[in-house]
Amino acid sequence: MSGELSPIDKAKFLAAKRAVDFVEDGMRVGLGTGSTAAWMVRLLGERVREEGLKIAGVPTSTRTAELARDMGIRVISLDEAKWLDLTIDGADEVDGDLNLVKGGGGALLQEKIVATASDRMVVIADAAKEVEALGAFPLPVEVIPFGWQTTQALVEEMLISMDVLGRDTTLRMNGGAPYVTDEGNHILDLHLNRIGNARELALVMNQIPGVVENGLFIDICDTLVIGHGSGRVETRDINDGTVEDMRLDFVEDDNLFRDLSD
Ligand code: 5RP
C-alpha cells in the first residue's frame, strides 16, 4: 500500500506520526483539518484503540469531526473543553518565524479559534509548505455572505496601501455556487504573490466590516514538524529554539490506509 502513496503524502504521514507523540493521556486536543491533519486523526485514533490513550478531541470542521468519531476518538465541543492542551493542524504555507497561511481547506475560522485556545499549536506539513515569505498561496479570507461584493471591494481598496505584489481577489466556488464554510460564510482568495508585512495585513484586514477572519496565523504556531518523503522528520520549536532531526520508518498499516477519502 505504501508504494501507492506519493512522496508528498508520505511526508505528510510522517509529520503527523511524529506529532501524535506529543499527545499524552488526559489531554484535550484540537484536531485540524486537511489531508495532513487527517493522517494525524487516523494515527491518534490508532493510539486510542491500541494503547487505550484517553483524550478528548475538539475538531475544527464537520469533516474532521466525522473522521475522529470514525477513528474512535471522543469528540467534544470547544465550549465543553473551554481550553485545550494542544492543537495539531496542517498549513498551506509556513515561514521562518512559524507564521502561517491557512484556510486552503476552508476551515480557517474554527482552526484559528481552536489553535488560539490551546497551550500549544503544533503544525504538521510536508517540506513544500516552507517559504521565505508568505503569499504565493492565495490568502483565504472568510466573509459574511451579506454584501460580500462590497466587502470584496473594501478588501481590494485596503490592499492598495499594503506591501503585497498582487491584488486580485476571487470568490471561492464549489461547482457553480459560492463555497460555504461550516459557519455559513464565503471565502475570498487573495492572490497577493508575496506579503511584505503579514502582521500588519492580518490586523488591518480584520477591521473591514464583513470580514470574519483571515488565514494569516501570526504568533500562534509553537512547533513545526516537517516531513520529507525520504523519511526525514524535522521538528522546530519557536519557544525554546530547539531543532530535532530524526528518521521515521514508513510502516504499512492496513487499518490506517483504508478509506483514504479526505
Ligand atoms: C484547512 C487548512 C489546512 O490545514 C491546509 O489547507 C493544509 O491542507 P493539507 O494538509 O491538505 O495540505 O488550513 O483549512
Side-chain angles (χ1 to χ4, degrees), residues 42 63 90 119 136 159 190 201 229 255:
R42 290 187 188 99
R63 264 174 293 161
D119 284 340
L159 287 176
L190 277 47
L201 181 61
N255 289 326

Side-chain angles (χ1 to χ4, degrees), residues 12 33-37 89-92 102-108 111 126 129:
K12 290 178 176 187
T33 295
S35 56
T36 321
D89 200 351
D92 298 302
K102 282 186 54 57
L108 69 101
E111 289 173 338
D126 57 279
K129 305 286 182 59

Side-chain angles (χ1 to χ4, degrees), residues 182-223:
D182 273 352
E183 304 303 320
N185 298 315
H186 296 328
I187 289 189
L188 296 175
D189 288 307
L190 277 47
H191 305 266
L192 309 175
N193 299 329
R194 189 179 195 281
I195 301 171
N197 189 338
R199 187 179 303 275
E200 179 189 30
L201 181 61
L203 287 174
V204 174
M205 185 89 65
N206 283 13
Q207 302 306 309
I208 297 174
V211 168
V212 182
E213 192 47 86
N214 66 79
L216 287 166
F217 284 47
I218 310 293
D219 295 338
I220 296 178
C221 172
D222 298 284
T223 308

